[in-house]
Amino acid sequence: MKLQQQESAVEQQQGGEEKLPENLLLYFEQILHDDPLIDEVGFLHPTQFCSLDCARDGDSASQSTEFHCARYFWCRDHKLAISAEILPELYHAARDAYYNARDAPLSRTNLMRHTKALLILCPDLLTAWNSRKMVLSALYDFTKLKDELQLCALILSYSPKNESTWSHRRWVIKQVAEQHQDMLELIGNESILVKEIAEKSKMNYRAWRHRCWLIPYMTRKQVLDELNESTRWSELHVADNCCFHYRRSLLLALLDNFFGNEEDSLSWESDICLLWKEELRWDEMLIKRYQGREV
């Protein structure tokens, strides 16, 4: 009798281990659903993860979830930590769930949940990004598009040079621009995001290229403000030529705006000339100050 009980216990334990990746994925997706404002993700070595003492805090998600799931995740103040120990199993579970959701007649909600989890683990999967585009294109929803920008910002916080994420972010902005004439606030937030990423990720060509891509959506005042605000940043990061390319794009945009607008006055033409002359004087000053740099 005791032998049968022991065998039954072993079988239950083995069955639980087989379902562990699926349970981890469900737990991971529940965390993302419960806290849509997560803005930072960290993948920690098990020794680092243990120092968080997540079992005692119990702040990852529902207390009713099994302990063996909670021991791999920690979430507080919109910051999420995942133990690197379970990343391979979690990735494979997320990938399988996505493929099943894509090929089966499941709800779009499930498809979005699975792709979100999968892209956080591996943001280079273009098919997953395209699946999200397909769902978002079916019906315009500004709230969902804002959530999509939040997801992109989350991924860029730990993978700031991921081209797939930057490309998807531009697609989302295009969708918003087709429906909204006033892009002032959105473009301002984009500029702040790129500036923060550029501070953490030096020589990030993709981030600055995204900022250049935003220029046609800017008002004249925003272009002038961007030109003024980038002056100090360029002086502090003279070796990062990305910002100088950005300033060139801003100056060219002001010229294009002038020649494309017949209502511009002579005073505005004079202002543009002064801007270009001031830029040349400023460049000359930087060249003399930082000899050997490609200003």
Side-chain angles (χ1 to χ4, degrees):
M1 186 66 178
K2 292 183 178 179
L3 181 60
Q4 292 178 351
Q5 291 178 349
Q6 291 176 354
E7 291 178 351
S8 177
V10 170
E11 291 177 356
Q12 291 179 358
Q13 182 178 1
Q14 291 176 347
E17 291 177 354
E18 292 177 355
K19 294 182 179 180
L20 179 57
E22 297 178 5
N23 293 334
L24 289 172
L25 177 60
L26 292 175
Y27 192 79
F28 180 38
E29 291 179 346
Q30 190 61 44
I31 292 174
L32 298 176
H33 178 267
D34 292 342
D35 190 356
L37 298 180
I38 293 176
D39 55 12
E40 188 174 346
V41 175
F43 305 101
L44 305 183
H45 188 273
T47 56
Q48 294 176 304
F49 194 85
C50 290
S51 65
L52 296 176
D53 195 15
C54 58
R56 178 171 60 87
D57 293 340
D59 48 22
S60 290
S62 175
Q63 295 290 338
S64 61
T65 309
E66 296 179 6
F67 171 75
H68 66 261
C69 287
R71 61 184 289 198
Y72 298 120
F73 298 94
W74 180 93
C75 187
R76 174 181 291 174
D77 300 328
H78 309 308
K79 313 298 179 184
L80 174 62
I82 305 174
S83 175
E85 179 182 359
I86 49 91
L87 286 180
E89 293 84 357
L90 187 61
Y91 165 74
H92 289 301
R95 183 194 60 186
D96 294 342
Y98 161 62
Y99 286 139
N100 292 333
R102 187 186 62 175
D103 299 333
L106 295 177
S107 68
R108 294 176 177 177
T109 302
N110 287 336
L111 184 61
M112 295 296 279
R113 283 171 65 98
H114 295 327
T115 52
K116 182 176 183 179
L118 180 59
L119 288 169
I120 289 176
L121 298 172
C122 184
D124 286 315
L125 292 177
L126 291 177
T127 53
W129 285 118
N130 289 335
S131 294
R132 296 184 71 85
K133 288 185 177 72
M134 178 188 67
V135 174
L136 293 170
S137 300
L139 179 64
Y140 180 82
D141 189 325
F142 182 63
T143 301
K144 290 184 178 180
L145 290 174
K146 287 180 63 177
D147 293 340
E148 202 70 5
L149 293 176
Q150 175 71 19
L151 172 61
C152 292
L154 172 61
I155 294 174
L156 292 172
S157 68
Y158 62 87
S159 185
K161 296 183 179 182
N162 188 271
E163 180 61 30
S164 300
T165 307
W166 284 115
S167 177
H168 187 74
R169 191 173 187 88
R170 287 190 286 273
W171 179 86
V172 173
I173 294 173
K174 283 183 179 179
Q175 303 306 305
V176 176
E178 290 177 358
Q179 301 292 332
H180 293 268
Q181 296 296 326
D182 187 8
M183 297 285 288
L184 186 66
E185 182 179 358
L186 177 60
I187 299 304
N189 293 335
E190 286 296 299
S191 183
I192 293 174
L193 174 69
V194 175
K195 183 178 179 181
E196 293 175 349
I197 291 177
E199 286 287 349
K200 300 177 182 178
S201 176
K202 304 304 180 184
M203 304 295 289
N204 191 336
Y205 168 76
R206 292 176 177 84
W208 285 100
R209 186 164 67 89
H210 178 77
R211 203 171 185 179
C212 291
W213 180 85
L214 294 170
I215 293 176
Y217 293 101
M218 295 181 184
T219 63
R220 180 186 295 178
K221 182 179 183 304
Q222 281 182 314
V223 173
L224 292 172
D225 290 342
E226 287 289 308
L227 193 63
N228 292 330
E229 292 174 3
S230 62
T231 301
R232 182 58 177 168
W233 198 96
S234 299
E235 292 176 349
L236 296 175
H237 305 81
V238 70
D240 192 339
N241 59 9
C242 294
C243 189
F244 291 96
H245 289 296
Y246 178 57
R247 292 179 62 82
R248 180 181 64 183
S249 299
L250 290 170
L251 289 167
L252 290 174
L254 290 173
L255 276 180
D256 292 340
N257 180 267
F258 169 73
F259 288 115
N261 191 347
E262 298 179 356
E263 298 179 358
D264 281 303
S265 62
L266 293 176
S267 62
W268 175 236
E269 180 181 4
S270 176
D271 291 340
I272 292 179
C273 291
L274 289 176
L275 282 173
W276 279 81
K277 290 180 180 179
E278 181 61 29
E279 188 75 8
L280 289 173
R281 285 195 295 267
W282 179 68
D283 289 338
E284 183 180 358
M285 180 271 294
L286 291 179
I287 291 172
K288 293 179 179 179
R289 179 183 298 177
Y290 303 101
Q291 295 184 14
R293 298 291 185 180
E294 297 180 0
V295 178

